[in-house]
């Protein structure tokens, strides 16, 4: 269970922060697929999460977690509860949910108007005793509540992991996922290189190139969003339509050339004259 950089003397001596930043720099420059997988009963917390987060390089990084028992987040559940759910918040929750405290609050409000001070003090003491009795229970509930935000289901819902993967099928899943990504990366590299015909045409980002591949996939008969997410189907489609995809890249290259020529032709001053003369020659 990696908890990252604690800021203590030992971590400072071992230069944990320095080497963590080197890992981040390496991920930023990396161009091949990277999969981060949180296995069963494992946790990634604090600085370790910051170093491994897929948003460091969304072009190549994807994050996954084992179904059920994996946990992840910057703060541990105890730390999040102590920050987000302090004692005053727990007491307010008690008075909102506990029937006995709700009844005592009603009695106190009635006693404020007509009952003697001794009776009001008795009610206040009963409220304080009830709060002390419930506090340990509510503290455990608050920790459990915060831990629910670190489950694989919640991580997938907020988008910090791509998918939950069963441990029993993880090897097969990542085998096909890697094959699909390597083929996809090779094709999108060709798309990016095809747009590098001049200075006037903006090259697509790797994610934009992937969107273009997805558009070509969806244009094929019988292909759907669900099939796009299936690595085996996607890989088979790329193999069966290799010649078609090559022609798509050539067409895209022609479009980029046309855009570059049009920008040169429509430019003002010497740029248009020199560009036109070069095209004619």
């Amino acid at each position: 269970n990696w908890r990252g950089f604690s800021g203590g003397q030992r971590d400072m001596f071992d230069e944990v922060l320095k080497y963590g930043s080197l890992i981040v720099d390496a991920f930023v420059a990396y161009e091949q697929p990277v999969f981060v997988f949180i296995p069963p009963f494992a946790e990634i917390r604090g600085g370790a999460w910051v170093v491994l987060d897929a948003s460091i390089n969304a072009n190549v990084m994807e994050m996954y977690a084992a179904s059920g028992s994996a946990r992840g987040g910057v703060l541990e559940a105890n730390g999040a509860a102590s920050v987000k759910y302090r004692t005053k918040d727990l007491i307010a929750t008690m008075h909102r949910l506990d029937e006995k405290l709700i009844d005592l609050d009603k009695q106190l409000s009635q006693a404020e108007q007509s009952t003697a001070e001794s009776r009001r003090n008795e009610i206040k003491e009963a409220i304080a005793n009830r709060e002390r009795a419930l506090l340990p229970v509510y503290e455990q509930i608050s920790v459990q509540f915060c831990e629910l935000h670190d489950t694989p289901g919640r991580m997938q819902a907020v988008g910090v992991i791509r998918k939950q993967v069963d441990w029993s099928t993880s090897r097969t899943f990542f085998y096909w996922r890697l094959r699909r990504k390597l083929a996809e990366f090779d094709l999108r590299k060709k798309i990016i290189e095809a747009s590098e015909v001049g200075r006037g045409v903006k090259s697509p980002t790797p994610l934009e190139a992937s969107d273009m591949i997805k558009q070509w996939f969806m244009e094929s008969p019988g292909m759907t969003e669900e099939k796009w997410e299936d690595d085996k189907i996607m890989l088979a489609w790329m193999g069966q339509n290799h010649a078609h995809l090559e022609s798509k890249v050539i067409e895209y290259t022609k479009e980029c050339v046309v855009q570059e020529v049009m920008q040169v032709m429509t430019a003002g001053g010497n740029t248009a004259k020199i560009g036109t003369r070069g095209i004619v020659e």
Side-chain angles (χ1 to χ4, degrees):
N1 295 336
W2 297 340
R3 294 184 174 176
F5 179 67
S6 68
Q9 185 176 1
R10 181 180 179 83
D11 281 358
M12 295 296 288
F13 181 78
D14 291 338
E15 297 181 315
V16 172
L17 186 62
K18 169 188 170 183
Y19 289 112
S21 65
L22 293 177
I23 294 173
V24 173
D25 291 340
F27 277 146
V28 170
Y30 204 64
E31 297 181 355
Q32 297 300 321
V34 177
F35 303 137
V36 180
F37 179 53
I38 309 175
F41 304 103
E43 299 180 15
I44 295 183
R45 302 289 186 182
W49 180 277
V50 174
V51 168
L52 297 174
D53 191 89
S55 61
I56 293 172
N57 188 351
N59 294 329
V60 301
M61 295 182 69
E62 294 179 346
M63 201 164 190
Y64 300 88
S67 303
S69 57
R71 295 290 183 269
V74 176
L75 287 177
E76 294 188 42
N78 289 319
S82 63
V83 173
K84 296 289 187 179
Y85 228 179
R86 300 178 185 272
T87 303
K88 63 177 182 178
D89 301 314
L90 292 175
I91 292 175
T93 305
M94 292 177 203
H95 284 265
R96 179 168 54 87
L97 299 177
D98 186 65
E99 293 182 358
K100 190 170 182 179
L101 279 176
I102 293 172
D103 183 58
L104 288 171
D105 288 337
K106 290 180 180 178
Q107 295 180 27
L108 183 61
S109 63
Q110 295 172 359
E112 292 288 348
Q113 301 174 359
S114 58
T115 313
E117 184 176 352
S118 59
R119 175 57 181 163
R120 292 198 297 268
N121 291 336
E122 290 178 5
I123 298 173
K124 290 178 180 179
E125 183 65 24
I127 291 174
N129 291 335
R130 184 64 176 171
E131 290 173 351
R132 284 194 293 269
L134 292 177
L135 187 59
V137 177
Y138 273 71
E139 285 177 344
Q140 294 179 22
I141 294 172
S142 67
V143 172
Q144 182 65 29
F145 178 76
C146 291
E147 188 177 358
L148 292 174
H149 290 74
D150 300 334
T151 58
R154 185 58 186 163
M155 287 191 284
Q156 183 177 355
V158 298
V160 295
I161 65 171
R162 182 180 175 273
K163 187 179 180 181
Q164 299 181 58
V165 179
D166 291 330
W167 176 250
S168 58
T169 59
S170 59
R171 186 184 294 271
T172 303
F173 172 81
F174 285 114
Y175 168 78
W176 287 106
R177 188 67 184 169
L178 180 60
R179 286 191 59 184
R180 180 250 177 89
K181 279 296 177 182
L182 289 173
E184 184 181 328
F185 279 24
D186 182 62
L187 180 56
R188 77 183 190 183
K189 183 179 180 182
K190 293 179 181 178
I191 293 173
I192 294 172
E193 290 176 349
S195 65
E196 297 174 350
V197 294
R199 294 175 297 176
V201 179
K202 180 183 176 183
S203 298
T205 65
L207 292 180
E208 290 172 345
S210 293
D211 289 338
M212 291 180 62
I213 299 172
K214 182 178 180 180
Q215 183 180 353
W216 296 343
F217 178 85
M218 298 297 288
E219 290 173 355
S220 300
M223 295 304 172
T224 62
E225 189 81 27
E226 292 181 359
K227 291 183 178 180
W228 167 258
E229 297 296 333
D230 191 312
D231 297 327
K232 292 182 181 179
I233 294 177
M234 170 61 181
L235 199 59
W237 174 80
M238 292 185 70
Q240 295 168 2
N241 295 273
H242 177 74
H244 176 67
L245 292 174
E246 290 292 336
S247 65
K248 282 283 191 181
V249 173
I250 294 173
E251 288 178 10
Y252 180 66
T253 306
K254 292 179 181 177
E255 291 178 7
C256 294
V257 171
V258 169
Q259 291 180 28
E260 180 70 18
V261 171
M262 287 297 295
Q263 289 186 13
V264 171
M265 294 287 289
T266 56
N270 292 330
T271 303
K273 295 178 182 178
I274 297 173
T276 305
R277 187 182 305 161
I279 293 169
V280 172
E281 291 174 357

